[in-house]
Amino acid sequence: MECIITIELGTNAVRVFAFSLSGELLASMKGSYPTFHIRPDYSEQDPEQIFITMLYVLKNLLNEKIHPQKIKVRCICFSASMHSVLAVDENGVPLDNAITWSDNRGKKVAAALIASRACKKIYTATGTPIHPMSPLIKIAWIKENDKEKFKKSAKFLSIKSYIVQQLTGKCCIDYSLASATGLMNIHTLDWEPDALAFAGIKPDKLPELVPVFHSPGRLLKAYQTSLGLPSGVKILIGSSDGCLATLGAGVWGEGKATITIEDSGAVRIVGKKVLQDEKQRFFNYLLTKNYYVSGGPTNNGGVIFDWFARQFGEFKNPFDIEYSMDMLMSEAAKVDAGSEGLLFLPYLLAERAPIWNPNARGCYFGLNINHGRQHFIRATIEGILYEIYSIGKTLQEHRSIKSLSVNGSFASIPFCAQIIADMFNKPLYASRQSNNSIGLGAFLLSAVEMGIYKTIDEAAQTVVVPDSYKPNKQNHKIYNNYFRIFESLSLKLFDEFENISNLQQQT
């Protein structure tokens, strides 16, 4: 038997999957690593810790599940979360921690670009909204605030580029992940001069741009030996997690949208044309040259419920976060839709779409004497999902959405999936492999490159989505009424968000 290995470099964990050439999931393993919030608005990760965790998980999966059954590895394909920036020296050694997508330290830099004439031109060229999430803003922030590191930096890499370089010795980034940097022109497939000028860099400071089907080369000899893999194993650069989650969900064609909620979240559609929005609220990322994945991301997905569970949940032991979450979900189910008027703005990590406010902060609203613990739990879940609904509602100003598909560990929880269906008032489908849609997307990409499928279209059509949720129209009415207040608060508190953010920066 032969297999394809996919490696997902996620926000807080690496997930490794092994698929047979027919798409059957043979094995999977996961390893976690922390994100450091050393100051408000700062989010960083240790690249060496990510690399070591990835090697450890991959080696364990191979030694425990693949090699004992004498399964031959044909290909290893990578996916990764977007918007990370890692400065390295001329030897490829990190100069500091990697800055992640949720980092908002560059909000003043972003505000300056938004106020300039270059803003619309850069957004139109790159398809990436002007926001502190983007590497464009992160590099410009380093240029202005950490001149010594900027001067020492030989290149600015993504986490995936760094990992692939460690394994193969080649420095490259795929068009898909690069299209989320705010630095690549999605029409010319080259680095965008205006964006480079704003960041203060030249193309040689960035990795080589390559297609998602590109092979950067073979594993270095040391890793062939360590992992017990032959030199002939093909390494594929792969794509971004968002694009592959969309492919792995089988959301291909008009009238369909996919909702992904892991630590962060997003609502996405696929098309052959860029989604044009005068308010610059949506991203347009490439999967391949002919397909754009468009939509909006939220910073505040499952990571917010994880935060709530760690603060207020009950534990069998200090590390049993999943038990705590299950108990909280059971309590939330005892409360009616709408949490009896208790609303939660989930902006603990500021927010991206659709408000694009790096100063946004979380709060509970509407609290009265009759609210108890159960209401707080359900309001927290509903707040996360109201934010998802707000993205989808905004998308529908441009595209018709008739059905939804969900994936990701948080969105796929039946309780949460039903709330999403109720909020959108649309049928919702969940794949049996919804928790590994990114890995499945990477498998499908690999299978197209290997000739198992002729096209991306054919590969997407193989995804089965049997489990469905029908919306409860009465709950939809309740959610619709409360959502109007949620949406209004998110905008009306703009000045207060900025004031409290500034005060928090002083502490």
Side-chain angles (χ1 to χ4, degrees), residues 129-432:
I130 308 302
H131 186 270
M133 70 173 185
S134 73
L136 164 65
I137 300 300
K138 291 179 171 74
I139 295 171
W141 183 92
I142 295 171
K143 177 187 66 175
E144 294 183 13
N145 296 275
D146 196 342
K147 291 179 171 56
E148 190 63 27
K149 182 163 76 173
F150 188 80
K151 184 178 179 180
K152 290 180 179 178
S153 300
K155 285 191 182 295
F156 294 98
L157 308 180
S158 70
I159 283 291
K160 187 170 78 166
S161 294
Y162 174 71
I163 297 292
V164 171
Q165 183 176 29
Q166 291 291 98
L167 291 172
T168 68
K170 301 296 175 61
C171 183
C172 56
I173 185 171
D174 60 272
Y175 292 142
S176 182
L177 198 62
S179 69
T181 62
L183 292 158
M184 190 191 90
N185 188 308
I186 59 175
H187 310 286
T188 66
L189 303 185
D190 204 350
W191 297 117
E192 169 57 31
D194 289 326
L196 294 178
F198 183 80
I201 59 174
K202 294 182 178 180
D204 62 0
K205 290 284 188 179
L206 297 169
E208 177 190 1
L209 287 165
V210 297
V212 293
F213 297 114
H214 175 77
S215 176
R218 298 176 179 178
L219 287 173
L220 296 175
K221 201 74 174 177
Y223 296 114
Q224 292 177 27
T225 303
S226 174
L227 297 170
L229 294 172
S231 62
V233 174
K234 175 168 281 191
I235 306 298
L236 278 190
I237 190 70
S239 179
S240 68
D241 57 356
C243 289
L244 290 177
T246 305
L247 176 60
V251 180
W252 225 248
E254 294 296 323
K256 299 179 181 179
T258 184
I259 294 170
T260 302
I261 312 179
E262 288 284 358
D263 292 319
S264 58
V267 185
R268 306 182 186 92
I269 56 176
V270 177
K272 293 189 175 183
K273 294 182 179 179
V274 170
L275 192 156
Q276 302 287 351
D277 181 61
E278 284 297 317
K279 297 180 181 178
Q280 304 177 27
R281 293 171 294 180
F282 304 118
F283 57 70
N284 288 282
Y285 301 148
L286 286 165
L287 176 55
T288 64
K289 188 176 181 180
N290 299 317
Y291 290 102
Y292 295 97
V293 176
S294 305
T298 172
N299 288 357
N300 302 286
V303 66
I304 303 305
F305 195 63
D306 181 273
W307 164 84
F308 185 91
R310 292 181 189 279
Q311 308 308 315
F312 308 109
E314 297 176 1
F315 293 82
K316 282 184 175 180
N317 62 66
F319 305 103
D320 198 355
I321 187 67
E322 292 184 5
Y323 168 82
S324 176
M325 287 183 171
D326 288 344
M327 293 300 100
L328 291 172
M329 288 284 179
S330 297
E331 288 189 62
K334 298 174 183 177
V335 178
D336 290 338
S339 303
E340 296 185 30
L342 182 61
L343 288 170
F344 173 59
L345 302 187
Y347 308 135
L348 272 62
L349 291 169
E351 193 48 287
R352 292 183 283 175
I355 62 173
W356 294 100
N357 187 347
N359 291 314
R361 293 295 184 265
C363 70
Y364 290 92
F365 178 82
L367 181 63
N368 67 47
I369 197 68
N370 294 316
H371 288 132
R373 170 187 168 88
Q374 294 173 337
H375 297 90
F376 277 92
I377 302 168
R378 180 158 188 140
T380 301
I381 297 167
E382 289 177 342
I384 295 167
L385 301 180
Y386 278 135
E387 173 56 20
I388 288 290
Y389 177 57
S390 70
I391 299 170
K393 185 172 178 285
T394 310
L395 264 176
Q396 290 180 91
E397 295 175 14
H398 297 269
R399 299 282 178 86
S400 172
I401 298 175
K402 297 178 181 178
S403 66
L404 302 165
S405 175
V406 297
N407 55 61
S409 56
F410 189 82
S412 303
I413 297 169
F415 179 66
C416 296
Q418 185 62 57
I419 293 176
I420 296 171
D422 295 347
M423 285 184 177
F424 278 85
N425 196 29
K426 296 182 188 298
L428 181 146
Y429 302 91
S431 161
R432 287 174 185 164

Side-chain angles (χ1 to χ4, degrees), residues 446-486:
S446 304
V448 171
E449 194 279 335
M450 293 167 60
I452 297 173
Y453 303 114
K454 294 180 181 178
T455 64
I456 289 284
D457 290 331
E458 181 184 330
Q461 290 170 8
T462 65
V463 179
V464 179
V465 284
D467 300 325
S468 63
Y469 298 82
K470 295 181 179 180
N472 181 308
K473 295 187 182 300
Q474 183 59 36
N475 284 350
H476 174 69
K477 291 179 181 178
I478 295 170
Y479 286 133
N480 212 32
N481 289 333
Y482 286 127
F483 175 74
R484 292 191 186 100
I485 302 173
F486 175 94

Side-chain angles (χ1 to χ4, degrees), residues 42-116:
Y42 280 53
S43 296
E44 299 179 353
Q45 292 179 330
D46 181 349
E48 288 299 315
Q49 190 170 21
I50 295 174
F51 181 63
I52 291 169
T53 302
M54 183 277 299
L55 279 180
Y56 176 80
V57 175
L58 175 59
K59 188 168 184 175
N60 280 352
L61 181 134
L62 291 170
N63 288 342
E64 294 179 19
K65 307 290 185 179
I66 303 303
H67 294 330
Q69 298 183 53
K70 301 193 183 304
I71 299 173
K72 180 182 178 182
V73 178
R74 284 277 302 275
C75 174
I76 298 176
C77 182
F78 287 87
S79 69
S81 54
M82 293 174 272
H83 314 303
S84 59
V85 168
L86 175 64
V88 299
D89 65 17
E90 63 276 6
N91 296 313
V93 177
L95 296 173
D96 205 343
N97 285 333
I99 305 174
T100 74
W101 58 265
S102 60
D103 191 281
N104 282 304
R105 74 184 72 179
K107 57 190 178 185
K108 290 183 180 179
V109 177
L113 179 53
I114 290 170
S116 74

